Amino acid sequence: MERLMRFQDPRGNRQSYNDFHPALWYLCCQSSPGAGALRWNDHDRPEEFNFASDVLDYWTQMEQEGKRGPNPALWWVNNQGDEVKWSFREMTDLSCCAANVFTQTCGLQQGDRLALILPRVPEWWLAVIGCIRAGIIFMPGTTQMKAKDILYRLQMSKAQGIMTIDTLAPEVDALVSECPALKTKLLVSDHSHQGWLDFRSLIKSASPDHTCIKSKTLDPMAIFFTSGTTGLPKMAKHSHGLALRSSLPSCRQLLQLKTSDVLWCLSDPGWILAIWACMFEPWTAGSTAFVHHLPKFDPKVIQQTLCKYPITQCVAAPAVYRMTLQQISTSLRFPALEHCATGGEALLPEKQEEWKRRTGLLLYQAYGQSETDNPEKTAEVECGDFYNTGDRATMDEEGYIWFLGRNDDIIHASG
């Protein structure tokens, strides 16, 4: 199993939604007209929020009542023709099993930290939702990391657990003596490895009966290590508000997903784009999260996948679109595709125009930040009610802001 979008912000950049400093968000669960999607208001925030119980389980209930179409919640494929289709009901049950594995078998507790160094395999989705249910702080990482990178993350975070694949297990074993906090190792593989717990087997035998924690909106949910090229990676902690923001009407304007949409995000699961566009965005809208195992970037596979499957929306790093344009000379017309988005770095206008010319679709660009967990660095960029993001941009005669890039670093876009 496995155009630049122009925007106008006359107020400047406010504090991060993840921290909820300037505004309070209020949660109101009701069906939106015609779409059956969750409706949330921008005014306030709930004191408690948990993506698993408040969003995923909501769609499980809608599915059960026949108020959602037949599309799966997760649709995973690979180059060998294997497919996994899980409904919201199955996602709820399996993620409850994962939560029980973490707490009952592994002895992890609320607030403990679990490193998830996995490729695009279905178990990544189970592990993330399982962690959210149990209050375990998950820390995604790319499988392209070397032993020194894994060691740095485990030591910095004082992780109590790690879940990875068999090719990385020996490297973890070689450094485990330097990580005294690490007490459990989980393997996602078809083969056993001495000293490691078999996650797939444990999921099969675990109970789906689990009571989700009542997490505070500002409780820590995840830690991401940023990908700059200067200095060591920054450890950025995010609260459950990161998941809540996908439910805010103001945030949902970018993709405007419907329950009938099939969204394919090509991000490596080690990056924050994946948790947003491979899980929070599609499942908040009751849409399908489509995943291709894609062990390495292949423009031809991307082209074939967009032609073969009913993918309506695509989200990928600018490099994916650039390389697809460079390496595919044939038609780039895709029967079901309606919307394309990108982010992470600036995409040249000429490439955006070429994508529009060859596909008939606009390529919308968004950007965001994760570097607001370090108190000293954050204090340096707080300017009264405003937050200086450190991004470079120009403003045209009409007042539109055009993003150019960072003023302090560049993104290291491996994976």
Side-chain angles (χ1 to χ4, degrees), residues 51 55-56 59 73 88 91 125 279-287 289:
F51 182 80
V55 176
L56 184 69
W59 285 111
F88 278 101
M91 279 305 312
W125 281 258
M279 183 179 291
F280 293 160
E281 282 293 305
W283 288 353
T284 294
S287 307

Side-chain angles (χ1 to χ4, degrees), residues 55-346:
V55 176
L56 184 69
D57 294 353
Y58 168 88
W59 285 111
T60 295
Q61 184 65 29
M62 293 297 101
E63 193 175 72
Q64 199 166 308
E65 295 176 5
K67 296 178 181 179
R68 184 187 176 272
N71 282 355
L74 182 73
W75 187 353
W76 179 93
V77 303
N78 63 15
N79 284 335
Q80 288 69 52
D82 300 318
E83 289 196 6
V84 171
K85 289 183 178 182
W86 285 335
S87 66
F88 278 101
R89 173 78 270 166
E90 290 170 309
M91 279 305 312
T92 286
D93 290 346
L94 288 169
S95 61
C96 284
C97 291
N100 284 327
V101 168
F102 296 148
T103 57
Q104 297 175 8
T105 306
C106 301
L108 297 175
Q109 302 175 1
Q110 184 172 353
D112 282 351
R113 300 173 177 191
L114 177 66
L116 297 177
I117 308 176
L118 295 172
R120 301 176 187 88
V121 290
E123 289 82 3
W124 183 84
W125 281 258
L126 299 185
V128 169
I129 297 295
C131 284
I132 292 174
R133 290 192 185 280
I136 295 165
I137 301 170
F138 62 93
M139 305 185 302
T142 173
T143 55
Q144 293 188 341
M145 289 192 297
K146 304 301 182 184
K148 63 180 180 62
D149 305 308
I150 298 173
L151 176 62
Y152 172 77
R153 285 157 174 78
L154 293 177
Q155 290 182 333
M156 282 293 294
S157 65
K158 297 181 174 61
Q160 286 82 10
I162 185 171
M163 180 186 296
T164 191
I165 51 177
D166 46 10
T167 54
L168 288 177
E171 299 202 22
V172 174
D173 285 337
L175 54 81
V176 70
S177 62
E178 301 177 66
C179 305
L182 194 66
K183 62 183 181 182
T184 190
K185 300 182 297 182
L186 287 154
L187 197 67
V188 177
S189 173
D190 292 328
H191 310 286
S192 61
H193 195 91
Q194 186 176 359
W196 290 74
L197 297 172
D198 184 342
F199 184 68
R200 289 175 176 166
S201 297
L202 292 172
I203 284 288
K204 291 178 182 178
S205 59
S207 169
D209 295 326
H210 181 268
T211 301
C212 186
I213 65 157
K214 293 185 179 297
S215 52
K216 304 291 186 183
T217 304
L218 297 183
D219 282 348
M221 180 191 69
I223 292 174
F224 292 88
F225 285 81
T226 60
S227 55
T229 57
T230 60
L232 294 169
K234 308 177 190 75
M235 193 169 73
K237 186 190 296 182
H238 289 270
S239 71
H240 288 272
L242 176 66
L244 174 61
R245 66 180 294 177
S246 290
S247 299
L248 304 178
S250 55
C251 294
R252 295 185 63 188
Q253 289 303 305
L254 177 61
L255 299 181
Q256 301 181 26
L257 290 164
K258 309 177 296 296
T259 55
S260 57
D261 277 318
V262 178
L263 172 62
W264 184 20
C265 172
L266 283 78
S267 173
D268 183 285
W271 305 125
I272 196 169
L273 179 59
I275 194 71
W276 175 73
C278 293
M279 183 179 291
F280 293 160
E281 282 293 305
W283 288 353
T284 294
S287 307
T288 296
F290 181 89
V291 186
H292 194 297
H293 183 233
L294 207 66
K296 63 178 181 178
F297 176 76
D298 189 333
K300 291 184 178 179
V301 172
I302 294 172
Q303 179 194 30
Q304 293 165 359
T305 302
L306 288 170
C307 287
K308 179 179 179 180
Y309 296 96
I311 298 164
T312 60
Q313 297 219 23
C314 180
V315 177
V320 172
Y321 295 102
R322 282 199 301 265
M323 293 178 70
T324 300
L325 289 171
Q326 291 168 0
Q327 298 183 32
I328 303 295
S329 58
T330 55
S331 172
L332 286 177
R333 298 283 172 159
F334 308 113
L337 195 60
E338 301 171 351
H339 190 91
C340 299
T342 189
E345 58 173 309

Side-chain angles (χ1 to χ4, degrees), residues 353-392:
E353 291 300 324
E354 183 181 356
W355 183 264
K356 179 183 177 182
R357 185 177 69 253
R358 294 182 61 186
T359 66
L361 298 168
L362 291 172
L363 181 51
Y364 293 90
Q365 180 160 312
Y367 84 101
Q369 288 198 310
S370 59
E371 298 89 344
T372 55
D373 64 305
N374 183 309
E376 292 78 16
K377 292 290 185 182
T378 300
E380 292 175 8
V381 296
E382 285 180 331
C383 310
D385 288 338
F386 296 90
Y387 173 86
N388 185 348
T389 68
D391 295 304
R392 296 184 301 113

